[in-house]
Amino acid sequence: MGPACSSSVPCGGAAGAQVPGGAMGHPMAPFVLLLLCPTSALSPVSPLSPVSPTPPAAPCFTVPPDAPLELNLTQTIPHCAELDWGHFQRQRRLWLNRNGIEALSPSARVQPGLEELDLSHNALRELPAPFLSGARGLRKLLLRHNRLRDLPDGFFANSTALESLWLDGNPLPAVPRSAFQPRLRFLAVPCRCDVVRSVLDPCACSPAACRCHCLDPQRRSFNVTHFHGSQCRGRAALAAGGAAAAALVALALAVAAVVWHRRRAAAAGVGRAKRDPAAAAPGQPRYVSRADGTDGSADGSAPDYENVFVSPRGAAATAPGWAPGWQRHSLQVPVGDECSLRSEDVGDQPIYANTQSLCQDSIYITPDQ
């Protein structure tokens, strides 16, 4: 028997097609063709058909079950978005530095048998808070040159065997107090005043007991106490000295301003400069002394002389050879001067008046003796 469907007889052909063993135009021919053709050729793929699941991402490292207890994977891969810690459960020493590791799996836990761990020179921004919760045998931990910005206060609380800790090269603001375990003998932090200040008290021990160092970007090492004394304490003292100097300068300026203001007020009280509207024309100095209290004092105890100065705008109109009344003691006074001098009873205080024009109300009043 031939194939159920051939190229000459398409599946689902019209009535009258040649059907083996049947007459042309048989009414059952279409149904026979449907039964004979494969169902996969007739039924379309349903949009609701299940899609095969996406395979899980490949792990960053391929670690065989019988991996050595001292496993060195330094600079094995260029990048690892998240490291699956489940592969490292039996190692005693593990080197994972320089692999571009950005994060650890949230369930990552250091097993109690791990003694040395190197995660330096990666891209770690944070570590799971319970990462060292079971690290009772960890003696050396290197986290240097990552991007760690914070470590929880109790991050090292269960790392009771910790002897060496490297945290330099991270933008950490401080070191948790739990890092200073009884067996800690070496600590490396960034050479920044805020970080160094956070370890000063715990690091105040003899060099034989513990060594606390900071490393700068040029990889130079400094004792944290010496670094703080030369770089941080000096800057703080300089800032405090600058603030104190600025305060003293401000105080001196304030005192000088007060003294100047008082002196000016006293000078204004002794001789106030006033303008006489009647003498606004050609001006000369005029001297007036009053004892009736009109000079600003209530009891007349103010200075006896008040200077009223009118600017000498009319000096050109002054008669040649004439001198003002307050200069008439000199030889410049004309011989035929008709200015008069009279005395009035004004009490015991003298009044001296010098007017603006020649022989016009120029009065000199002296007290009667």
Side-chain angles (χ1 to χ4, degrees):
M1 183 176 179
C5 295
S6 63
S7 59
S8 59
V9 183
C11 294
Q18 295 291 334
V19 179
M24 182 182 297
H26 194 281
M28 296 297 294
F31 299 100
V32 174
L33 290 173
L34 290 175
L35 293 175
L36 294 176
C37 290
T39 56
S40 60
L42 298 178
S43 59
V45 177
S46 173
L48 300 178
S49 299
V51 181
S52 59
T54 303
C60 296
F61 300 98
T62 302
V63 182
D66 57 346
L69 298 181
E70 296 186 358
L71 183 59
N72 191 346
L73 297 175
T74 299
Q75 205 168 355
T76 303
I77 56 176
H79 176 256
C80 177
E82 182 176 295
L83 178 63
D84 183 6
W85 199 259
H87 300 288
F88 314 108
Q89 297 299 321
R90 57 186 302 271
Q91 275 68 40
R92 289 187 177 179
R93 294 184 179 180
L94 181 60
W95 293 272
L96 295 169
N97 51 308
R98 301 181 186 274
N99 284 300
I101 302 173
E102 295 184 357
L104 303 181
S105 56
S107 60
R109 304 287 188 278
V110 171
Q111 69 276 12
L114 187 63
E115 298 177 0
E116 182 176 343
L117 174 61
D118 188 354
L119 283 168
S120 58
H121 293 277
N122 283 296
L124 293 167
R125 296 181 179 274
E126 60 181 359
L127 294 172
F131 180 60
L132 300 180
S133 58
R136 294 183 297 274
L138 189 63
R139 295 186 293 107
K140 185 176 182 180
L141 177 61
L142 292 90
L143 297 173
R144 55 195 318 231
H145 294 284
N146 278 280
R147 302 175 184 176
L148 298 172
R149 294 185 175 275
D150 182 49
L151 290 174
D153 291 337
F155 186 73
F156 302 96
N158 295 331
S159 304
T160 54
L162 192 61
E163 298 176 358
S164 177
L165 177 60
W166 299 72
L167 297 173
D168 57 293
N170 287 282
L172 288 170
V175 177
R177 304 284 292 187
S178 60
F180 297 92
Q181 295 294 328
R183 296 186 181 181
L184 187 68
R185 293 296 178 267
F186 180 83
L187 173 67
V189 297
C191 279
R192 294 200 320 271
C193 292
D194 53 350
V195 185
V196 170
R197 194 175 296 112
S198 70
V199 301
L200 277 182
D201 292 340
C203 288
C205 53
S206 62
C210 62
R211 293 180 299 162
C212 296
H213 288 262
C214 70
L215 284 86
D216 64 3
Q218 288 76 32
R219 299 183 181 180
R220 295 176 298 182
S221 179
F222 302 90
N223 179 277
V224 293
T225 304
H226 298 164
F227 179 84
H228 183 268
S230 61
Q231 300 295 326
C232 306
R233 185 178 299 174
R235 294 178 183 177
L238 182 61
L248 289 177
V249 170
L251 180 60
L253 291 176
V255 171
V258 171
V259 171
W260 177 82
H261 179 73
R262 289 184 177 179
R263 288 183 177 178
R264 184 178 180 184
V270 172
R272 297 184 182 87
K274 300 180 181 179
R275 289 188 178 273
D276 190 352
Q284 306 179 40
R286 301 182 64 191
Y287 300 88
V288 179
S289 174
R290 297 186 178 90
D292 55 358
T294 58
D295 54 359
S297 62
D299 57 354
S301 61
D304 295 333
Y305 299 94
E306 181 178 6
N307 184 9
V308 180
F309 179 76
V310 180
S311 59
R313 293 191 300 271
T318 305
W322 179 85
W326 50 276
Q327 294 180 354
R328 290 186 182 178
H329 61 278
S330 65
L331 299 177
Q332 299 177 3
V333 180
V335 178
D337 188 3
E338 297 179 357
C339 297
S340 60
L341 176 65
R342 62 181 181 175
S343 174
E344 295 178 356
D345 185 11
V346 292
D348 295 334
Q349 297 294 331
I351 296 178
Y352 300 92
N354 183 17
T355 57
Q356 301 299 314
S357 60
L358 181 61
C359 298
Q360 180 179 356
D361 297 328
S362 295
I363 302 173
Y364 295 84
I365 303 175
T366 57
D368 296 331
Q369 299 295 333

